Amino acid sequence: MTHKHQIVIVGGGFAGLEFIKSMQDSPEFNIILVDANNYNFFPPLIYQVSTGFMEPSAISYPFRKILRRRKNTRFRLGELKEVVPTENKIILDNGELFYDTLIMATGTETNFFGNKNIEKYSLPMKTISDALSLRNVIFTRLDRATRLTDSAARKKLLTFVIAGAGPTGVELSGIFAEMRDHILQKDYPELDKKDLGDIYLLDGQDAVLAAMSAKSQKYTYKKLKELGVKIMLNTLVTDFVEETVHLSNGNTIDAKNLIWAAGVSARTFKGFEESSFGRGKRLKTNRQNLVEGYDNIYALGDCALILGDKEYPDGHPQLAQPALQQAKNLATNFLAKNGKWKPFAYKNKGSLAIIGRNKAVLDPPKERFFVKGFLAWLIWIFVHIMGLVNFKNKIRTLYNWIGYYLYKDQYFRMIIKPRERG
C-alpha cells in the first residue's frame, strides 16, 4: 500500500481551516487537524457574545461537521503538550500523533505582561469561554446592583475599565455605551442613569486604533466621546488590587471590572529550540513559512514570524487576512507539481473597525482616503458575515444585527452558570 504524506495541523482557526480547504482533498495527503476545542469560532465577534448581542453558536461550528465532506482529513480533539522533532511526533494530553509534516497554527493567547493580579482578577477577551464568563459577570452584577442602596457601591460595581484601545477595546466600549443608553434602564428600572457607572478606555499609545490611519483614529475618538466613553491615552494599567485599577500616571479608578484587551502573545511549546522563537514568542520562519532550524515544521498565522519581507520587517499583522493568505500560499506550494515554492507576499486588503450602530471606519489598502459612518458599518457587516464558516451562521448573525438595528435591543442576556471573578 502506497504511503500517503501525513500532515498534522495544530490549531483550527483561520489558518488551519484555510489550509485544509486549499488542499482540495488531494489524494496524495492525509491530514489530521488537532485542536483543544471541538469547534471553530470567529474571534472578531466574541465581544458580541460577551455583551449578549449574539449566542455562542452563531459564531462557532463543530470541526467534525465542517470536515464531514473532506475525504482526506480527520479531526483529533486534544491539547498539544510537546513537539518531538527527532521522532516526527507530537504529544497531546490524550496520546501521540506522528507526522511527515507538522503545521503550527496555534494562534495567540492573552498577554498579561507578567502582572499576576491582572491575570487573576481581570476579564480577558480571547475565547468563547472568556466571552461567556464576561456575559455572566455583566448581567450578574447588574442584578446585584438593583439590590444595593449605596450609590457609590452601585457605581463601582457597574464601572468598566477596558485596557487596550485596539479594535476589541473600541468595539467593547462602544457597545457598552449603547447598552447603557438604550437597554439597561429599560431592563433595570431600579437603576438611575447616574448609577450605571462609567466606561473607561485606556491605552499606552497616543491614539485609539493605533494601527489605523490618523483620520480613522480621529473619527473613532470623536464618536466614542459622543457616546460618553472616557478615553485615557498614554496611560497603562499597572495593577488591579482590591477593586481599584492603578494607572501609570499615578491615578486610580474605583471599578469592579477590568476588561483586558491590551495585548496577545503566541503560545510556546516544549520541544522547540529557544532560538526558534522571536518577537512576541512567534515561531521564526522563512518566506515559505518553514520554521527556522527544521525541515518539515511550518508555522502559519498569528504564531508565525516571517523573516525576510522588507515591507514587514517586524512580522505581519496578527489578523485574519495574513493567516488566510499564508495558508493558501503554503497549500499551493504543497500541491505544486514542479517543485517550485513561491515565497509568501502579503496583500493588504485594508482595515476595519466598528464603533457602534451606524458607526465604523475603513482604511483601504493605499490609505488615500478612508470610509466612515454608515457605509463603513455596512461594509463591516458584510465582511464579518462572509467570514463565518457556515451559511446558517451567516443568516442567524444577519438576523440578529437587523433586529438590533431596528429595535436597539439584544436577546441573549441569559446568565448561564454565573461565576464570579475575584
Side-chain angles (χ1 to χ4, degrees), residues 58-119:
I59 66 165
S60 55
Y61 208 69
F63 284 120
R64 290 191 179 275
K65 194 164 185 180
I66 295 172
L67 302 175
R68 184 178 289 177
R69 296 182 182 179
R70 299 285 170 185
K71 296 178 181 178
N72 68 341
T73 305
R74 296 292 180 267
F75 174 69
R76 173 72 176 266
L77 180 65
E79 183 178 356
L80 178 63
K81 294 298 183 181
E82 183 178 353
V83 177
V84 188
T86 55
E87 299 180 40
N88 282 354
K89 75 175 182 179
I90 59 173
I91 299 174
L92 308 176
D93 59 351
N94 55 15
E96 300 178 350
L97 278 176
F98 288 88
Y99 61 82
D100 295 309
T101 295
L102 175 64
I103 297 176
M104 300 293 292
T106 48
T108 58
E109 61 186 359
T110 303
N111 187 356
F112 297 100
F113 302 99
N115 191 303
K116 296 302 180 183
N117 286 330
I118 292 175
E119 182 175 358

Side-chain angles (χ1 to χ4, degrees), residues 51-54 178-179 182-184 186-187 357 399-413:
T51 50
F53 281 80
M54 300 181 86
E178 291 187 339
M179 285 174 61
H182 302 302
I183 295 172
L184 297 186
K186 296 176 185 177
D187 282 8
R357 183 176 178 270
Y399 174 80
N400 291 342
W401 284 342
I402 290 173
Y404 174 62
Y405 182 80
L406 293 176
Y407 303 110
K408 297 182 180 180
D409 205 349
Q410 89 271 52
Y411 310 101
F412 305 107
R413 297 192 287 275

Side-chain angles (χ1 to χ4, degrees), residues 79-339:
E79 183 178 356
L80 178 63
K81 294 298 183 181
E82 183 178 353
V83 177
V84 188
T86 55
E87 299 180 40
N88 282 354
K89 75 175 182 179
I90 59 173
I91 299 174
L92 308 176
D93 59 351
N94 55 15
E96 300 178 350
L97 278 176
F98 288 88
Y99 61 82
D100 295 309
T101 295
L102 175 64
I103 297 176
M104 300 293 292
T106 48
T108 58
E109 61 186 359
T110 303
N111 187 356
F112 297 100
F113 302 99
N115 191 303
K116 296 302 180 183
N117 286 330
I118 292 175
E119 182 175 358
K120 184 176 182 180
Y121 298 116
S122 71
L123 295 153
M125 275 289 298
K126 189 64 182 164
T127 67
I128 291 285
S129 296
D130 292 338
L132 289 174
S133 178
L134 178 53
R135 187 178 78 179
N136 290 338
V137 165
I138 292 170
F139 295 110
T140 300
R141 289 178 180 173
L142 278 163
D143 263 285
R144 182 183 297 175
T146 64
R147 304 191 298 271
L148 296 177
T149 56
D150 185 292
S151 182
R154 279 180 168 182
K155 189 169 184 178
K156 175 185 281 192
L157 194 64
L158 300 181
T159 291
F160 289 85
V161 178
I162 302 166
T168 299
V170 166
E171 290 160 359
L172 268 176
S173 57
I175 210 167
F176 279 154
E178 291 187 339
M179 285 174 61
R180 182 180 61 185
D181 293 342
H182 302 302
I183 295 172
L184 297 186
Q185 285 187 284
K186 296 176 185 177
D187 282 8
Y188 303 89
E190 304 94 332
L191 301 175
D192 293 327
K193 189 171 184 178
K194 61 182 175 62
D195 293 331
L196 292 178
D198 295 316
I199 301 163
Y200 291 88
L201 180 62
L202 282 60
D203 201 281
Q205 301 189 69
D206 59 2
V208 298
L209 299 177
M212 295 188 70
S213 69
K215 289 181 179 179
S216 289
Q217 293 167 1
K218 184 177 179 181
Y219 176 83
T220 301
Y221 184 92
K222 176 185 175 184
K223 292 302 176 182
L224 287 176
K225 281 287 190 180
E226 290 175 359
L227 287 170
V229 177
K230 297 186 176 182
I231 303 173
M232 302 176 70
L233 301 174
N234 297 306
T235 306
L236 298 172
V237 175
T238 57
D239 212 345
F240 187 34
V241 183
E242 296 180 351
E243 301 177 7
T244 301
V245 180
H246 295 258
L247 308 179
S248 57
N249 59 12
N251 295 330
T252 59
I253 301 173
D254 290 333
K256 181 80 170 175
N257 313 286
L258 171 61
I259 300 174
W260 195 253
V264 295
S265 65
R267 299 177 62 196
T268 59
F269 296 96
K270 186 178 178 182
F272 285 105
E273 297 291 337
E274 284 190 23
S275 59
S276 298
F277 296 99
R279 183 178 180 181
K281 301 180 182 178
R282 298 159 82 176
L283 286 164
K284 294 187 290 186
T285 78
N286 64 13
R287 295 285 297 277
Q288 283 83 26
N289 289 88
L290 181 67
V291 177
E292 278 193 359
Y294 304 93
D295 59 8
N296 63 345
I297 301 178
Y298 298 81
L300 295 173
D302 292 351
C303 71
L305 180 65
I306 298 178
L307 305 176
D309 189 335
K310 293 180 180 179
E311 292 189 30
Y312 297 91
D314 297 322
H316 297 89
Q318 290 171 297
L319 302 170
Q321 275 303 317
L324 292 169
Q325 292 177 32
Q326 288 172 32
K328 288 179 183 177
N329 187 72
L330 184 59
T332 299
N333 285 336
F334 268 101
L335 296 174
K337 301 300 182 183
N338 58 12

